[in-house]
Structure formats: structure tokens, C-alpha cells
Amino acid sequence: MNGMMGLAVRARQAVTGTDACSMMIEARKCGLLLLDESAGIHTRKRFESLCERTGTRIVIIPEGLLEKATGSPGVTMAIRNGSFADQVTKLSAEDD
């Protein structure tokens, strides 16, 4: 999953940061939201309700995985609709 996340960022199929992720979700262009388990309670509630309202899949990932995969700190990553979102979803299900 780590490699696929980094590849999605390099292919410009993903954004990180709470504001960019919110905009992508609201525009209904987000196929999957990755939320770091270290995210604060308000951030978690904000994105859970936003994803529920728009029907966006959300996956809680282990702390630090997002930074390791992308090379930049943050707690959220939105992956565009399409094959990257599908692959990361499939890989996250296998990790569980």
C-alpha cells in the first residue's frame, strides 16, 4: 500500500492536506480518503461526516504511514476516483 500511495502522489492522482482533501471530496472527485490514526478528534469527525455525506470511502491508516509514503507530513490524503483508489482500497483490505 505504501508504494501505491507514493505512486499516486507522483502521478498527480492524490493530494495531501486537510483543505485540499476537503475540496476534492466536496467536488466529488475523491475515490478514497486516507486518514492517519493520529489525526485529532475534530479532524476525524469532520472527514467522517464529509465522506458519509458524499459517499466517499475512508480508510484509517497506521500512524506515520502517510509521511513515509509521500515524504511530507500530514494526516489526510485524498486519491482521485479511478484505479489508484481501487488498488489502495484493495491493498488496505489485505493488510487488515
Side-chain angles (χ1 to χ4, degrees), residues 27-86:
R28 299 188 187 271
K29 294 181 179 179
C30 180
L32 175 67
L33 177 76
L34 300 174
L35 186 64
D36 194 287
E37 67 184 4
S38 69
I41 188 76
H42 295 294
T43 301
R44 185 178 289 229
K45 285 182 181 180
R46 172 183 167 197
F47 280 103
E48 285 174 348
S49 68
L50 185 58
C51 288
E52 184 178 323
R53 192 170 61 240
T54 59
T56 303
R57 294 175 288 185
I58 185 169
V59 173
I60 307 298
I61 59 173
E63 185 174 349
L65 180 62
L66 184 60
E67 184 173 356
K68 182 179 176 187
T70 63
S72 61
V75 294
T76 58
M77 178 179 184
I79 302 177
R80 291 188 186 279
N81 290 321
S83 60
F84 278 111
D86 295 339

Side-chain angles (χ1 to χ4, degrees), residues 11-30:
R12 297 182 185 246
Q13 294 298 305
V15 295
T16 58
T18 56
D19 292 335
C21 289
S22 292
M23 288 190 301
M24 186 183 281
I25 294 167
E26 289 169 355
R28 299 188 187 271
K29 294 181 179 179
C30 180

